[in-house]
């Protein structure tokens, strides 16, 4: 299997070089694992009087009855008549005319394959595939023909599908039946899978639709199974290998707060998630949990209650947010919630004065400071805790893995980690990316929350929109107007923002209306200053680029206008909309766009109008953009899947995960005899992350 592809009959050095460069194929194994991306059903042979001009691919048995070379302005064109006993069609070539002309044989039966078109009133196939019937009968090739992915360079060098197909046949003749089984008998039996050998054969040379389907199922299952096995095993090992402080007590801090100071009843989802966290915290294993919850689902209170558990066990806790504004908001709301307690909370951010910092450092080290809230500033080496037990990170995608790792270095034992994100990730995807984390989901909004009414308006309706804004402002509400800012078109976007600001200023004149503006080119202090004015309701309109996207909570702001909404992705639109709908009032989101919209943009805007559910939106987003463009997928292996597709094969993924869990429950180290094939493959994968090459 590891034989260099150069040694395969019909390959040679030049082709081997080409295959390596274009397709990354270096060995026999690589070639065997180069899978077709579609198939043509060649179970049926057409007769020349049965043809239709429906642009489909057909195959006909017949003979070449005449050949003509026609000189053209550039080069020449070759035409031939291809006849069976019912009539004839035309074959046409524009390339390699001389070579083809010499190779065409009269009076022998060919199978002619290609796409039927009508040219000068005659059925025609341009650049047909011709194969001698005598060859066809000898070949491994089956009725369903595999079509392999190709590249321009390959075609230019005449390595077309037929050539690849031939190489594949040669390969299978040489290695016949030597694929090592990677799954246990038990898994194969219970899940009614075909064997590795059978699957590999039928993926390249399917004898029927059914055989193909079974081969695909088996190979997709296998691929997803080994990924899940790795992720789940990593998670289990993490739990046994990494210890952290066991928080066995639920004490006075938690109970007092829960019984006396909780400002509302927790939702069932919040209760469930809290239970999951409590369970993690008291085992002595290290918690590594992701908390997903849509904007406004109430993650903050869950964070606070978790921190109180740490405090009850005499440990400190910290909450880190990606921006100063968010950190400040968290600080203020938590201080307010803890008003009647003796818990000490401090805020640490880049702008914290040296004198104040000193006090924080001192109190952290003598354990009189219980909860530290802040920005990246907390990660600096000089910030030392006496005994940090729990670190909570809000809006995780703004933080790098390296920064998360830094939290570990603050203690002898790593503190428990809870990562909170408002980016809803579809379940299937979460399983494949974060399979090594534990995931909690708050899938329920607090009661009484009104849906944010969302409408799409064209630019020409702007006057009516402005009128609506004035009415809302007259009721005491505040308004966001957000402009896109895309790096590639930054200069243009700033101009749009400034033009927009100027026109809004004209339509909403001072002193009746006060307008704030916030964008990335402003100094941090100026941004905070403007933000503060808006928070304090000194300004009614906030004109901004997407800097306000994350987490800001201003309950009185009830209208979100998104300019050029067609330029935003779905998850971003949803995040922006989440800035409103935080108070008791009915909130609105107005998506402004130009008249010209492509189908994709239309679907995005329509989805926003139809639903407020972040998970539903994430599913649509996943279908529109594929997993590669979603947040957080870049580092994960799911982009390099060879045959499975996390979106389309979600049910196979669930099955694979279930089976992987079952195997590990019984035999975490894969030491049982029956799991030997799995163990061998698993080890190979672990050694070299490139999955498929090693499976075979
Ligand atoms: P997010 O998950 O976006 O961080 P927050 O924690 O900021 O959400 O909560 C959003 C708002 O909902 C806050 O004003 C909070 O006080 C309120 N809230 C949270 N949980 C509940 C609940 N169970 N019942 C009523 N209001 C709640
Ligand atoms: Mg939040």
């Amino acid at each position: 299997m590891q034989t260099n592809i150069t040694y395969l009959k019909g390959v040679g050095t030049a082709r081997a070089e080409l295959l390596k460069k274009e397709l990354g194929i270096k060995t026999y194994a690589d070639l065997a694992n180069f899978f077709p991306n579609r198939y043509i059903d060649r179970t049926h042979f057409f007769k020349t009087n049965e043809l239709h001009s429906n642009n489909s691919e057909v195959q006909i048995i017949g003979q070449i009855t005449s050949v003509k070379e026609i000189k053209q302005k550039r080069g020449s064109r070759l035409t031939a008549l291809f006849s069976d006993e019912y009539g004839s069609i035309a074959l046409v070539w524009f390339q390699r005319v001389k070579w083809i002309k010499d190779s065409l044989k009269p009076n022998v039966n060919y199978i002619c394959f290609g796409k039927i078109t009508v040219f000068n009133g005659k059925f025609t196939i341009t650049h047909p595939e011709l194969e001698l019937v005598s060859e066809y009968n000898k070949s491994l090739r089956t009725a369903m023909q595999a079509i392999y992915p190709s590249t321009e360079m390959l075609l230019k060098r005449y390595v077309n599908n037929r050539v690849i197909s031939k190489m594949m046949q040669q390969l299978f003749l040489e290695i016949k039946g030597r694929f090592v089984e990677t799954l246990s008998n038990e898994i194969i039996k219970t899940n009614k899978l075909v064997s590795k050998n059978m699957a590999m054969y039928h993926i390249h040379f399917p004898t029927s639709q059914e055989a193909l389907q079974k081969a695909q199922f088996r190979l997709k299952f296998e691929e997803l199974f080994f990924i899940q096995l790795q992720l789940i095993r990593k998670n289990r090992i993490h739990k046994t290998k990494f210890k952290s402080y066991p928080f066995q007590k639920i004490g006075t801090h938690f109970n007092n707060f829960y019984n006396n100071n909780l400002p509302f009843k927790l939702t069932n989802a919040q209760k469930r998630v809290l239970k999951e966290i409590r369970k993690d915290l008291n085992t002595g294993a290290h918690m590594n949990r992701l908390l997903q919850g849509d904007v406004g689902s109430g993650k903050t209170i869950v964070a606070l209650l978790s921190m109180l558990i740490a405090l009850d066990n005499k440990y400190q806790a910290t909450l880190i947010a990606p921006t100063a504004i968010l950190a400040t908001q968290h600080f203020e709301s938590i201080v307010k919630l803890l008003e009647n307690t003796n818990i000490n909370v401090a805020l640490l951010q880049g702008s914290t004065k040296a004198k104040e910092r000193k006090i924080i450092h001192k109190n952290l080290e003598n354990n009189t400071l219980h909860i530290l809230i802040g920005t990246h500033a907390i990660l600096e080496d000089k910030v030392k805790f006496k005994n940090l037990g729990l670190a909570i990170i809000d809006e995780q995608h703004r933080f790098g893995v390296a920064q998360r790792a830094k939290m570990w270095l603050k203690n002898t034992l790593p503190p428990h980690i809870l990562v909170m994100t408002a980016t809803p990730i579809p379940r299937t995807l979460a399983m494949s990316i974060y399979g090594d984390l534990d995931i909690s989901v708050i899938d329920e909004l607090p009661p009484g929350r009104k849906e944010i009414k969302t409408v799409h308006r064209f630019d020409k309706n702007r006057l009516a929109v402005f009128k609506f804004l004035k009415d809302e402002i007259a009721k005491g509400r505040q308004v966001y107007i957000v402009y896109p800012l895309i790096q590639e078109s930054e200069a243009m976007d700033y101009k749009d923002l400034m033009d927009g600001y100027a026109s809004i200023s004209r339509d909403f004149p001072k002193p009746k209306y006060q307008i704030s503006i916030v964008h990335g080119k402003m100094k941090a202090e100026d941004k905070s200053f403007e933000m503060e004015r808006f928070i304090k309701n000194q300004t009614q309109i906030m004109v901004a680029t997407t800097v306000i996207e994350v987490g800001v909570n201003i309950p009185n702001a009830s209208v979100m206008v998104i300019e050029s909404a067609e330029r935003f992705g779905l998850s971003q639109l949803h995040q922006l909309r989440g800035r409103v709908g935080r108070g008791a009032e009915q909130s609105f989101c107005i998506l402004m766009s130009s008249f010209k919209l492509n189908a994709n943009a239309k679907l995005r805007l329509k989805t926003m109008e139809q639903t407020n559910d972040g998970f539903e939106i994430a599913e649509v987003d996943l279908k529109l953009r594929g997993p590669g463009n979603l947040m957080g997928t870049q580092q994960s292996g799911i982009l390099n899947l060879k045959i499975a597709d996390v979106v389309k094969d979600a049910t196979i993924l669930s099955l694979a995960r279930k089976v992987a869990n079952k195997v590990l429950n019984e035999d975490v180290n894969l030491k049982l005899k029956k799991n030997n094939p799995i163990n061998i493959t698993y080890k190979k994968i672990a050694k070299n992350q490139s999955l498929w090459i090693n499976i075979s």
Side-chain angles (χ1 to χ4, degrees), residues 339-373:
E339 232 165 20
N340 303 317
T341 69
N342 53 4
I343 298 168
N344 292 325
V345 188
L347 174 67
L348 179 69
Q349 47 184 338
S351 62
T352 306
K353 299 274 177 325
K355 208 171 109 195
E356 209 177 321
R357 254 172 215 265
K358 248 195 199 138
I359 299 172
I360 290 176
H361 289 175
K362 202 181 98 217
N363 292 345
L364 267 185
E365 285 178 58
N366 67 25
N367 205 9
T368 52
L369 179 54
H370 308 113
I371 295 178
L372 181 62
I373 296 173

Side-chain angles (χ1 to χ4, degrees), residues 264-267 270 294-300 446 449 582:
F264 36 67
K265 228 174 124 248
L266 293 187
T267 62
Q270 284 169 322
D294 211 342
V295 279
S297 61
K299 294 185 289 296
T300 316
R449 207 54 74 70
R582 304 193 147 229

Side-chain angles (χ1 to χ4, degrees), residues 12 29 33 45 82 107 110 118 148 254 313 351 382 451 552:
N33 286 304
F45 288 92
F82 186 77
N107 305 324
Y110 278 104
V118 177
Y148 294 89
F254 184 96
N313 289 273
S351 62
K382 44 185 198 257
E451 291 251 305
V552 195

Side-chain angles (χ1 to χ4, degrees), residues 454-456 565-566 570 573 577 591 597-612 616-617 620 624:
T454 304
V455 293
H456 170 212
E566 73 271 28
L570 261 178
L573 288 173
R577 177 168 62 182
L591 306 167
L597 291 175
N598 62 29
N600 195 313
K602 268 186 204 151
L603 180 59
R604 290 201 301 273
L605 299 181
K606 202 163 146 216
T607 304
M608 288 295 292
E609 284 185 309
Q610 281 171 348
T611 180
N612 272 264
E616 216 174 289
I617 289 169
V620 176
L624 282 178

Side-chain angles (χ1 to χ4, degrees), residues 18-255:
L18 192 65
L19 288 173
K20 186 172 139 197
K21 197 157 153 257
E22 293 297 303
L23 302 171
I25 294 173
K26 286 175 263 180
T27 62
Y28 280 22
D30 292 340
L31 183 61
N33 286 304
F34 179 57
F35 295 145
N37 55 2
R38 65 191 179 93
Y39 297 83
I40 292 167
D41 189 342
R42 290 185 72 164
T43 44
H44 185 73
F45 288 92
F46 282 82
K47 303 184 171 80
T48 51
N49 63 353
E50 285 177 341
L51 300 173
H52 297 277
S53 161
N54 60 4
N55 214 25
S56 66
E57 284 163 314
V58 299
Q59 58 182 352
I60 308 164
I61 297 179
Q63 299 191 348
I64 304 281
T65 44
S66 80
V67 179
K68 197 160 64 179
E69 190 178 344
I70 299 156
K71 293 279 174 220
Q72 298 183 165
K73 262 187 233 138
R74 249 183 276 160
S76 59
R77 167 161 66 102
L78 187 70
T79 63
L81 270 188
F82 186 77
S83 315
D84 61 10
E85 51 188 299
Y86 306 95
S88 69
I89 63 166
L91 306 181
V92 181
W93 292 264
F94 298 99
Q95 281 158 15
R96 305 179 82 199
V97 163
K98 167 111 182 51
W99 187 86
I100 288 166
K101 191 176 167 193
D102 291 343
S103 68
L104 289 179
K105 297 190 182 107
N107 305 324
V108 290
N109 280 332
Y110 278 104
I111 294 171
C112 171
F113 175 81
K115 198 182 269 181
I116 285 283
T117 52
V118 177
F119 188 72
N120 282 342
K122 192 162 180 68
F123 286 121
T124 305
I125 298 179
T126 308
H127 286 248
E129 275 181 39
L130 285 174
E131 185 173 20
L132 290 169
V133 170
S134 53
E135 290 283 323
Y136 176 88
N137 288 339
K138 274 192 291 191
S139 83
L140 256 185
R141 192 136 35 85
T142 47
M144 302 277 303
Q145 194 188 332
I147 307 290
Y148 294 89
S150 189
T151 68
E152 229 168 274
M153 181 53 82
L154 284 174
L155 292 177
K156 211 169 132 197
R157 306 267 298 268
Y158 308 116
V159 181
N160 56 19
N161 199 60
R162 224 184 105 181
V163 172
I164 301 265
S165 213
K166 265 217 161 120
M167 291 189 316
M168 207 61 88
Q169 285 184 49
Q170 185 58 38
L171 179 77
F172 272 75
L173 285 175
E174 285 189 30
I175 63 172
K176 194 160 44 181
R178 262 191 262 154
F179 292 101
V180 176
E181 185 51 72
T182 59
L183 298 172
S184 66
N185 253 328
E186 187 179 294
I187 290 178
I188 290 175
K189 273 223 185 84
T190 10
N191 299 288
K192 300 197 173 65
L193 304 174
V194 295
S195 69
K196 176 80 179 179
N197 264 317
M198 184 88 108
M200 289 304 281
Y201 183 81
H202 281 121
I203 202 77
H204 294 290
F205 311 106
T207 47
S208 68
Q209 296 277 1
E210 198 199 351
L212 173 62
Q213 194 270 335
K214 282 190 172 150
Q216 285 173 330
F217 189 91
R218 144 85 210 214
L219 294 173
K220 286 173 177 180
F221 176 91
E222 172 176 346
E223 181 171 44
L224 295 168
F225 171 79
F226 279 103
I227 291 174
Q228 289 303 316
L229 200 69
Q230 267 183 305
L231 289 172
I232 299 168
R233 188 146 187 273
K234 214 164 112 192
N235 177 302
R236 283 177 192 236
I237 289 172
H238 187 105
K239 283 194 178 131
T240 50
K241 199 153 130 197
F242 294 101
K243 298 287 172 224
S244 189
Y245 313 101
F247 296 168
Q248 274 149 349
K249 252 194 2 230
I250 300 292
T252 46
H253 288 310
F254 184 96
N255 286 327

Side-chain angles (χ1 to χ4, degrees), residues 421-433:
T421 174
T423 310
I425 305 159
R427 256 192 79 71
T428 51
L429 196 60
M431 261 192 240
S432 10
I433 320 172

